[in-house]
Amino acid sequence: MSLAVIILAAGKGKRLNSEKYKVFHEIGNFPMLYHIVNTAKQLNPKRIIIVISEAMKGHEKEIKKKFPDLKFCIQKRQLGTANALDSAKTYFKNEVKKVLVLYGDTPLIKLATLRKLENKLKNKSDMCILTMKPKDPKQYGRVVLNTKKKVEKIIEFTEASTDEKKNNLCNSGIMIFKSFELLKYINQISNNNSKKEYFLTDIVEIFKKNKKVTDYLVCEYEETLGVNDRDDLLKVETNFQKVKVKEFLSRGITILDKKSVYFSYDTKIGKDSVIYPNVYFGKEVEVGKNVKIKSFTHLEGTIIKNNCEIGPFARIRPDSTIYDSVRIGNFVEIKKSKIKNNAKIPHLSYVGDSTVGCETNIGAGTITCNYDGVRKNKTKIGKNCFIGSNTSLIAPLSIGDNAIIGAGSVIKKNVSKSVIIYGKPKIIRKNKKN
Ligand code: UD1
Ligand code: CA
């Protein structure tokens, strides 16, 4: 049966107290909305439609760049979740058999759960609600069952009695419908409630009156965590990190302290690598096999191949590639550079816009002076070189293979291969006054 996925994302998200729209707030360095779209895509739906507000229109282009096939639908006024879904119906009417409703602020939902939900429609059900049983059910809508454990209705927190609030079977907001039935009854929902909103949850009672069957599925509470304020954002992030840790552990990566490591949504790590406490993986980091990433290392936009040792206290910035068996030590910053096999930069260096050849050793305090105040210039260091401590390499510069440069040198001109340069020795003079 063909499927349309509708992501409701027109809400104002006022409680985040932010200049940024709610769904663009990031979890694992990736907007919440994009997490959901990525999960939805894996269901192979015929369409994914995002309901946005008029005010968010300016962001359409940005989202389309990432997901060109998405359809957008503008909800003119935020009159409630039923109104949001209703405003999208022209995009799925006549086209699909099933409609899955997701929320833009609930990014942790798992593909396997959505698949289970979809399968529920194979039975006699006309719709299925995804529910959860949190320890503290907070302000979620409550799903009311009858004595035969069949769904009667959903009662919103604002409308619930004290007794009804004791029920901890909660509505996650995620629902799936037989499209035909949804379209038939959605317009019967009224805004006759304390918030004067059109609640999508009211459809359950309408279905019941018309002998339509509503089923429910219970999933892990963590998957349904929604973001309303910054505290929720932190909770969702914490849970996302937990999921990532589990994923890496199961793939054969050792993590020494799961609480102090931070992963991005796209972090990749190979088998037998060891991640020490306090390591930050920014966006676009790929680590190979058997790599040690030691404490207080900060990585972004970097490929690290196999058998390397990085840190402690290393910072590797975007567009860098660290090849096999490289050693990068403490207080070393690498930017936009390639460090070839077996090279060593063990301490206190800045290497930017550079290539460092195989087997080369860069001594402590070496700086590639890549910026002349106007341009960023390149440094190329050949194979098997030895760069003595505290050397300034003034770019643009090229140093040939096997060159040896003595400590404290300031190199302004290209160095040919196999040349040995040693710096100015100190001049010792007698002080005439004595
Ligand atoms: C909703 C559910 C509640 C459930 C909870 C789970 C309703 C009436 N209530 O409540 O039962 O327990 O989610 O988190 O559905 N949106 C629009 N247009 C609107 C209003 C909302 O697009 O006019 C979008 C929001 O951007 C958001 C989603 O719909 O992504 C849910 O809206 P929100 O106001 O957060 O609903 P809750 O009060 O949390
Ligand atoms: Ca919400």
Side-chain angles (χ1 to χ4, degrees):
M1 275 206 287
S2 56
L3 172 76
V5 179
I6 322 291
I7 302 172
L8 305 186
K12 295 179 198 99
K14 269 191 198 154
R15 280 171 285 174
L16 277 171
N17 191 11
S18 172
E19 303 273 302
K20 198 154 82 177
Y21 287 104
K22 176 149 109 177
V23 293
F24 292 112
H25 281 265
E26 296 187 341
I27 301 295
N29 283 320
F30 199 50
M32 281 196 269
L33 178 65
Y34 297 0
H35 280 274
I36 300 160
V37 176
N38 268 344
T39 310
K41 273 175 70 172
Q42 294 175 69
L43 292 167
N44 292 321
K46 190 153 187 196
R47 286 221 162 140
I48 301 178
I49 301 138
I50 306 189
V51 180
I52 56 171
S53 62
E54 198 99 50
M56 270 173 73
K57 242 175 140 176
H59 289 278
E60 257 184 56
K61 253 196 188 157
E62 178 187 336
I63 304 171
K64 275 217 154 159
K65 235 195 245 164
K66 183 106 192 124
F67 302 105
D69 298 333
L70 292 189
K71 297 270 174 280
F72 289 87
C73 156
I74 311 282
Q75 184 191 17
K76 292 223 168 75
R77 288 192 298 150
Q78 279 59 71
L79 301 175
T81 42
N83 177 260
L85 183 57
D86 189 61
S87 65
K89 73 182 175 199
T90 46
Y91 293 84
F92 62 81
K93 237 195 220 162
N94 313 326
E95 295 232 0
V96 295
K97 296 264 179 351
K98 288 180 287 188
V99 175
L100 171 65
V101 177
L102 302 177
Y103 283 181
D105 63 358
T106 311
L108 298 183
I109 193 68
K110 287 193 180 135
L111 178 66
T113 305
L114 296 180
R115 288 219 167 105
K116 272 190 212 158
L117 194 70
E118 206 184 347
N119 278 333
K120 286 275 191 178
L121 288 194
K122 280 188 186 152
N123 307 332
K124 278 189 199 139
S125 319
D126 296 295
M127 73 174 277
C128 185
I129 313 164
L130 185 64
T131 67
M132 69 287 190
K133 290 179 173 170
K135 278 196 196 101
D136 170 16
K138 295 199 280 196
Q139 307 207 340
Y140 291 115
R142 307 297 208 267
V143 179
V144 181
L145 304 181
N146 65 19
T147 48
K148 289 181 188 152
K149 301 267 182 238
K150 298 280 183 235
V151 180
E152 285 276 304
K153 62 174 178 178
I154 301 176
I155 181 95
E156 283 304 288
F157 181 82
T158 48
E159 319 299 310
S161 65
T162 320
D163 254 5
E164 281 168 327
K165 282 176 190 163
K166 284 181 191 151
N167 169 12
N168 81 331
L169 185 65
C170 294
N171 171 31
S172 71
I174 293 171
M175 298 175 179
I176 192 158
F177 299 90
K178 283 192 179 147
S179 169
F180 172 77
E181 305 298 349
L182 172 69
L183 289 164
K184 201 153 128 198
Y185 297 109
I186 191 168
N187 291 329
Q188 292 187 19
I189 295 173
S190 76
N191 65 350
N192 192 8
N193 52 57
S194 65
K195 284 167 104 180
K196 293 276 162 279
E197 272 186 25
Y198 294 86
F199 292 155
L200 181 58
T201 44
D202 284 353
I203 202 155
V204 179
E205 264 187 296
I206 297 170
F207 265 37
K208 182 152 180 23
K209 260 187 227 148
N210 291 281
K211 308 234 168 342
K212 300 294 159 202
V213 181
T214 301
D215 200 351
Y216 72 102
L217 176 74
V218 186
C219 75
E220 294 292 327
Y221 172 52
E222 285 72 21
E223 280 184 60
T224 66
L225 282 175
V227 174
N228 291 317
D229 54 29
R230 301 272 175 173
D231 188 48
D232 295 334
L233 193 65
L234 176 59
K235 280 199 183 100
V236 170
E237 181 71 79
T238 306
N239 273 285
F240 174 78
Q241 294 300 330
K242 277 187 192 160
V243 171
K244 279 277 161 201
V245 165
K246 267 194 187 164
E247 194 184 304
F248 286 128
L249 294 178
S250 74
R251 289 196 184 149
I253 288 97
T254 297
I255 294 171
L256 299 184
D257 177 20
K258 64 180 180 186
K259 289 211 177 95
S260 66
V261 58
Y262 183 92
F263 297 110
S264 288
Y265 75 103
D266 59 352
T267 305
K268 291 190 179 71
I269 307 177
K271 251 188 200 169
D272 291 321
S273 287
V274 182
I275 314 301
Y276 285 56
N278 291 299
V279 173
Y280 176 86
F281 291 89
K283 259 189 264 189
E284 294 172 18
V285 174
E286 222 173 283
V287 175
K289 290 181 197 163
N290 194 35
V291 172
K292 284 194 174 76
I293 312 269
K294 297 192 168 174
S295 297
F296 301 100
T297 291
H298 190 282
L299 305 170
E300 287 171 289
T302 293
I303 297 173
I304 298 170
K305 307 264 184 178
N306 305 320
N307 306 315
C308 295
E309 205 176 307
I310 312 290
F313 297 98
R315 179 177 184 205
I316 310 184
R317 292 167 53 197
D319 294 323
S320 297
T321 306
I322 314 297
Y323 289 79
D324 287 344
S325 307
V326 166
R327 160 103 182 83
I328 301 220
N330 41 271
F331 309 109
V332 171
E333 179 179 345
I334 310 271
K335 186 214 87 173
K336 220 176 181 177
S337 294
K338 289 184 168 48
I339 316 296
K340 301 286 180 69
N341 294 356
N342 296 307
K344 288 191 187 69
I345 315 178
H347 8 242
L348 299 152
S349 287
Y350 171 67
V351 175
D353 303 296
S354 303
T355 306
V356 175
C358 300
E359 317 281 339
T360 285
N361 186 94
I362 307 273
T366 296
I367 307 289
T368 55
C369 308
N370 60 330
Y371 188 46
D372 57 15
V374 183
R375 272 179 304 263
K376 296 280 166 67
N377 301 306
K378 295 203 162 89
T379 303
K380 186 172 181 298
I381 305 172
K383 282 187 247 174
N384 199 31
C385 294
F386 178 89
I387 313 291
S389 295
N390 226 14
T391 294
S392 299
L393 301 167
I394 301 179
L397 187 69
S398 164
I399 295 175
D401 297 346
N402 306 310
I404 296 176
I405 294 177
S409 305
V410 176
I411 309 290
K412 288 172 117 175
K413 286 188 193 150
N414 289 347
V415 175
S416 330
K417 63 179 182 183
S418 305
V419 162
I420 302 177
I421 294 181
Y422 39 103
K424 278 186 203 156
K426 297 257 186 314
I427 295 166
I428 305 170
R429 250 186 351 192
K430 239 194 150 189
N431 191 340
K432 283 182 189 154
K433 283 182 194 161
N434 296 323

